[in-house]
Amino acid sequence: QAISQTVEYAPGRDMVREHDYYTESNLLIAGWCYRYSDLPDGRRQTLALHMAGDFVDLHSFQLKRMDHSVRTLTACTVAIVPHDNLTRITEEFPHLTRQLWFSTLIDAAIMRRWMVGLGQRSALEHMAHLFSEIFYRATLVHLVADGVFAFPLTQAEIGEAVGISAVHSNRVLQQLRARKLIALSGRTVKVLDLEALERVAGFDPTYLNLDPADAPPDA
């Protein structure tokens, strides 16, 4: 038994805090959360988005002291996996160990793509890439229905993920809408033209290492 307990978090709560030490990792069962790092003047950079099925801090198993924080975007249900149990898994279950390793490799691959976006893509390209990625990842865990998926970020939070201001974020979202690539309704997104969205983004899903059967049907 790897999981010791489940914990409920309200929206806007830190489940992991920068500089703290941890003896357990968090497996997200339901809800959305994000990794972030703050500068001394309060500016924030979002480093990753997490949805159900993600280990949000598996790397703390080896690193212990965190160099970033993890905060909930929505109400979240989290399974707590003590590091002692992860140690036992790595010693006794090689196949599960490889799966955990694979999870961290995909996590790193996603971060590399985000780095490319921050450094080289235009704001429009970067935001289109973000929506394309989340669409694929949400499809994998059956969170997409008729092209619609939850996307519980405000315009300011989208800007923190893409590295632009809230005002600029609003302008870019309007461009994506005007091109009929996405539609926003409340905190949901509908992808209207995935192929065109991917062209704008220059999106190549290879880094997600999906089985072809897991890709969106119209991708």
Side-chain angles (χ1 to χ4, degrees), residues 141-205:
V141 290
H142 309 294
L143 294 178
V144 177
D146 297 323
V148 179
F149 57 94
F151 195 74
L153 281 76
T154 64
Q155 290 181 8
E157 289 166 339
I158 295 172
E160 289 170 351
V162 180
I164 58 178
S165 69
V167 173
H168 195 181
S169 176
N170 179 59
R171 292 196 191 106
V172 176
L173 285 169
Q174 293 303 326
Q175 290 180 59
L176 292 173
R177 286 167 159 169
R179 294 189 183 198
K180 295 183 172 20
L181 301 178
I182 64 169
L184 300 176
S185 178
R187 290 199 166 189
T188 64
V189 172
K190 181 177 179 64
V191 173
L192 302 175
D193 189 335
L194 180 60
E195 184 177 344
L197 184 68
E198 291 177 327
R199 279 200 305 271
V200 171
F203 185 78
D204 178 354

Side-chain angles (χ1 to χ4, degrees), residues 20-42:
D20 284 356
Y21 289 84
Y22 289 92
T23 59
E24 56 195 27
S25 290
N26 298 276
L27 176 60
L28 190 59
I29 296 175
W32 288 68
C33 62
Y34 67 103
R35 292 184 198 160
Y36 71 93
S37 186
D38 286 342
L39 296 177
D41 63 5

